[in-house]
Amino acid sequence: MSLGLYLHIPYCFSKCRYCDFYSAPGQRGVPPEYPDALLRELHRFAPDAPLRPDTIYFGGGTPSLLTPDDVARLVEAAQPRPGAEITLEANPETVTEETLRGFRAAGVNRVSFGVQSARDSQLKTLGRPHTAKQARAAFAAAQRAGFTNISGDIMLALPHYTQAEFDETLELIENGGATHVSAYLLKIEPDSAFGRKPPEGLPTSDEAADFYLYAVEQLEHHGYQQYEISNFARPGYEGKHNLIYWDCGDYLGLGPAAHSCMGGKRFYYPPDTDAFLHDTAVPVLDGSCGAEDYLILQLRLRKGLNLEAYKNLYGKEFSTAQLAFVQNCVKAGYANFDGKTLALTPAGLIVQNTILAELL
């Protein structure tokens, strides 16, 4: 079974207005003691031999605030398997061709840019510190630095959103050489600035659903096949790290607020950077990963839930009532079911939570 390693870099220049991820805004970089703390924890989980993960993912926060030397130290300590996917999330305004070349030399072979929108007015509303011009420059620099696996993020259903804004953003990302696109509906989180003061001009839920279906259609028209509820890729460029999550594989997350699931047991670090730095953060047990988790995660994927695998792994079978509900979903256009695999359509993915509530 594959093993994924997630390294959380919580430092940011500023906090985006929609973000409720754990981060420490107002930082101009990553303090040198932070990579040391990650190395300490990596050794703690693999004291006798290297971890040898199949994927490494530098997430944040803003991982591109790390120095290439720090990235190299962390990759070397983990000793990933040959051909491992090594991803670094990057904010466009934080990278140059020189730093991207440094990350490439450190072992990073996949870079993911948080673009969100091609309109500067929208980026300002979101609290993003970059401009569309900087996003274009970051993609071009990544290509010159030798990256052939590049992802870009798009946010949908933003304030005063239009299909034209999506088209402009997709054009920016596609022209930048992206092989992968993540397209997310804006969600107003209670602990975010938008949660405390929602912006004007937010689309209705029906309008947001229409934007999502339009995005799926346009992305596939441009050669990005949907393989997960929010993720699209050219053939062969699906994100291997996140697929470990969705297939209920083993992953180790290091850093404050980072989550792990190893051998079916979940745990996480408290969201406290100071405690993590000073080696007083004790991972908190968080239950186990079982049949319900597998069903939920597999139905995020366009390939769907294989009922034979579900039975073999967890001894679970759909009841007569569940199968009847599935047939109703098929008739409504929310799912495809051939008797062996249940897969939600894009319309079904929009109402996934309602479908899951019935199945569970």
Side-chain angles (χ1 to χ4, degrees):
M1 184 176 284
S2 297
L3 171 65
L5 173 63
Y6 175 84
L7 301 172
H8 188 61
I9 313 300
Y11 301 96
C12 288
F13 285 162
S14 59
K15 190 86 167 177
C16 299
R17 295 195 177 105
Y18 55 84
C19 180
D20 75 336
F21 290 160
Y22 179 73
S23 63
Q27 304 291 323
R28 304 315 297 173
V30 179
E33 58 268 27
Y34 189 79
D36 291 341
L38 288 174
L39 288 167
R40 178 197 70 219
E41 293 303 294
L42 189 58
H43 179 72
R44 179 168 286 161
F45 278 95
D48 301 319
L51 194 64
R52 305 305 307 276
D54 298 273
T55 65
I56 301 178
Y57 195 101
F58 291 87
T62 311
S64 48
L65 294 179
L66 286 166
T67 67
D69 284 347
D70 284 333
V71 171
R73 290 167 60 210
L74 289 161
V75 171
E76 183 179 359
Q79 290 195 26
R81 295 187 182 280
E85 176 192 88
I86 303 176
T87 303
L88 183 125
E89 290 181 348
N91 282 9
E93 80 283 359
T94 64
V95 296
T96 64
E97 184 177 342
E98 181 183 5
T99 57
L100 287 164
R101 286 189 184 278
F103 292 138
R104 190 77 185 86
V108 176
N109 52 29
R110 183 174 183 268
V111 64
S112 179
F113 290 119
V115 177
Q116 316 313 352
S117 175
R119 294 188 176 178
D120 288 347
S121 58
Q122 189 74 269
L123 293 170
K124 187 174 181 180
T125 297
L126 296 173
R128 297 292 295 181
H130 72 273
T131 63
K133 182 179 179 180
Q134 286 174 312
R136 291 188 182 92
F139 276 99
Q143 290 188 81
R144 292 195 302 271
F147 283 97
T148 57
N149 194 349
I150 305 173
S151 183
D153 289 357
I154 301 177
M155 294 196 80
L156 311 172
L158 298 170
H160 305 290
Y161 204 64
T162 62
Q163 290 181 353
E165 181 174 349
F166 172 84
D167 293 341
E168 292 168 25
T169 310
L170 176 56
E171 181 181 22
L172 186 160
I173 288 174
E174 184 178 23
N175 289 348
T179 50
H180 184 281
V181 177
S182 296
Y184 302 92
L185 287 166
L186 172 65
K187 184 179 179 184
I188 304 299
E189 302 288 356
D191 292 334
S192 68
F194 276 177
R196 292 184 287 274
K197 186 179 180 182
E200 296 180 355
L202 287 173
T204 65
S205 58
D206 285 346
E207 290 169 336
D210 288 341
F211 284 128
Y212 176 79
L213 293 174
Y214 178 78
V216 172
E217 177 185 305
Q218 290 302 309
L219 283 159
E220 296 200 342
H221 178 69
H222 285 258
Y224 298 99
Q225 294 299 310
Q226 186 179 33
Y227 68 98
E228 191 266 348
I229 188 169
S230 301
N231 287 277
F232 307 76
R234 300 206 186 280
Y237 287 94
E238 296 82 2
K240 294 177 182 176
H241 182 82
N242 284 344
L243 280 169
I244 291 176
Y245 298 158
W246 299 321
D247 284 333
C248 281
D250 285 349
Y251 57 91
L252 175 63
L254 302 181
H259 287 247
S260 303
C261 186
M262 302 284 283
K265 301 298 181 184
R266 292 195 295 246
F267 56 94
Y268 65 91
Y269 284 89
D272 187 333
T273 302
D274 285 339
F276 185 78
L277 287 171
H278 293 98
D279 198 12
T280 58
V282 179
V284 179
L285 295 177
D286 193 30
S288 58
C289 182
E292 285 192 5
D293 303 90
Y294 186 76
L295 184 147
I296 291 168
L297 293 167
Q298 289 290 285
L299 287 181
R300 290 181 64 102
L301 298 169
R302 285 299 301 271
K303 72 174 184 179
L305 172 72
N306 182 284
L307 298 192
E308 185 177 352
Y310 187 49
K311 181 180 179 180
N312 290 341
L313 288 168
Y314 300 102
K316 294 284 188 177
E317 293 185 89
F318 278 6
S319 66
T320 302
Q322 285 173 312
L323 288 170
F325 173 72
V326 166
Q327 292 301 335
N328 287 335
C329 289
V330 172
K331 290 176 185 175
Y334 293 142
N336 295 313
F337 183 58
D338 61 4
K340 297 178 180 179
T341 300
L342 170 63
L344 300 186
T345 63
L349 290 170
I350 291 172
V351 294
Q352 182 198 38
N353 287 343
T354 302
I355 292 171
L356 291 173
E358 289 288 336
L359 289 175
L360 294 172

